Amino acid sequence: MESSKKAQATEKSKTRNRIAIFSSHNGSNFQKIVQACEEGNLNAQVVKLYCNNQDAYVLERAKDLSIPSVLIPQSQWNSFVDWDQFVSSDLIESQVQWVVLAGFMKKIGPKTIQAFENKIINTHPSLLPKYGGVGMYGHKVHEAVIANKETQSGITVHYVSENFDEGPVIAQKVIEVYGDDTANSLSERLKAIENDFFMQTLKQVFE
Ligand code: GAR
């Protein structure tokens, strides 16, 4: 009985998508994805966390969740090309099938993008193409949305291409912006919805 349970578990882990998550700061999306995998709600296993920031809270989350992490601050490599080479080789050696960008604030290199064509997925806190591109990330997006008195913002989950925030869109979710919203209140409301929306979108892609 026990051995057949073990065989079933081994078989299940063979068919699970092997994913790596890239994150730079907080890691609420990282945590949601790891937990969804553990609870069997996402047909995937998180093989590794890649983080470019040694002070990031996401590293603590990874430790608590027993996910191995790799520190990849670009300053530790001689060039962006070398950094990109390391990242793509390490992903390949770790037999990663999908790369998930969950609050990763650096550009992914061309070698990695070629090696994982249409297999790198990002979540962005706006309705792309609005509020995307260089310098538009995290809180800065919400500040710009509020400054421009937008009545709607949202979330875009998309494949990653060589240009920031320009790859094909997989799914979008519209979120109302209220008259008394600040960048903080909008960010908090959006993040709570994004955690679930991103996970559900990944679920559809993986299945
Ligand atoms: C998320 O809102 C994500 O959309 C955004 O960073 C936040 C990370 O939150 N990503 C970008 O702006 C990418 N351009 P988290 O660290 O709590 O998951």
Side-chain angles (χ1 to χ4, degrees), residues 21-37 42 46 49 56-62 65 100-105 123 125 138 142 155 187-200 202:
I21 302 182
F22 283 55
S23 180
S24 298
H25 296 290
N26 174 36
S28 67
N29 283 290
F30 165 80
Q31 179 153 346
K32 179 81 186 183
I33 295 166
V34 173
Q35 283 170 344
C37 293
L42 194 59
V46 180
L49 165 75
Y57 181 54
V58 68
L59 291 167
E60 274 182 47
R61 294 191 197 250
L65 292 161
V100 174
L101 307 186
F104 189 64
M105 303 308 179
T123 180
H142 308 305
I155 301 153
S187 162
E188 265 177 39
R189 201 167 61 253
L190 186 140
K191 190 75 81 67
I193 298 169
E194 181 184 36
N195 286 167
D196 210 46
F197 181 69
F198 191 26
M199 200 277 288
Q200 292 299 338
L202 291 174

Side-chain angles (χ1 to χ4, degrees), residues 3-178:
S3 68
S4 95
K5 262 193 193 163
K6 218 174 173 180
Q8 269 176 10
T10 313
E11 203 44 47
K12 215 172 166 192
S13 84
K14 269 195 220 157
T15 57
R16 278 204 212 133
N17 293 285
R18 290 174 63 81
I19 66 175
I21 302 182
F22 283 55
S23 180
S24 298
H25 296 290
N26 174 36
S28 67
N29 283 290
F30 165 80
Q31 179 153 346
K32 179 81 186 183
I33 295 166
V34 173
Q35 283 170 344
C37 293
E38 282 172 0
E39 287 158 9
N41 292 327
L42 194 59
N43 180 26
Q45 55 178 316
V46 180
V47 178
K48 272 183 189 178
L49 165 75
Y50 290 80
C51 178
N52 60 314
N53 168 15
Q54 65 174 10
D55 300 321
Y57 181 54
V58 68
L59 291 167
E60 274 182 47
R61 294 191 197 250
K63 209 169 159 199
D64 290 347
L65 292 161
S66 305
I67 302 293
S69 52
V70 189
L71 261 181
I72 50 163
Q74 272 173 35
S75 56
Q76 283 183 13
W77 278 263
N78 286 332
S79 64
F80 180 64
V81 174
D82 289 354
W83 179 81
D84 183 22
Q85 174 67 55
F86 169 81
V87 170
S88 62
S89 307
D90 202 68
L91 287 167
I92 292 166
E93 272 167 32
S94 308
Q95 297 179 313
V96 165
Q97 295 165 299
W98 293 89
V99 175
V100 174
L101 307 186
F104 189 64
M105 303 308 179
K106 292 280 172 198
K107 202 170 177 166
I108 296 293
K111 208 165 187 111
T112 306
I113 290 178
Q114 269 167 27
F116 291 87
E117 206 187 340
N118 287 329
K119 297 279 183 189
I120 308 181
I121 300 174
N122 180 43
T123 180
H124 184 82
S126 77
L127 294 172
L128 291 174
K130 284 184 118 181
Y131 301 100
V134 178
M136 272 295 156
Y137 53 83
H139 215 260
K140 292 183 190 218
V141 174
H142 308 305
E143 283 165 13
V145 166
I146 296 293
N148 289 341
K149 301 196 183 336
E150 298 281 1
T151 55
Q152 288 188 327
S153 187
I155 301 153
T156 303
V157 178
H158 66 98
Y159 291 110
V160 172
S161 68
E162 281 191 33
N163 297 328
F164 257 131
D165 302 327
E166 283 184 19
V169 170
I170 302 169
Q172 284 188 313
K173 174 134 189 113
V174 174
I175 288 165
E176 300 302 320
V177 181
Y178 306 134

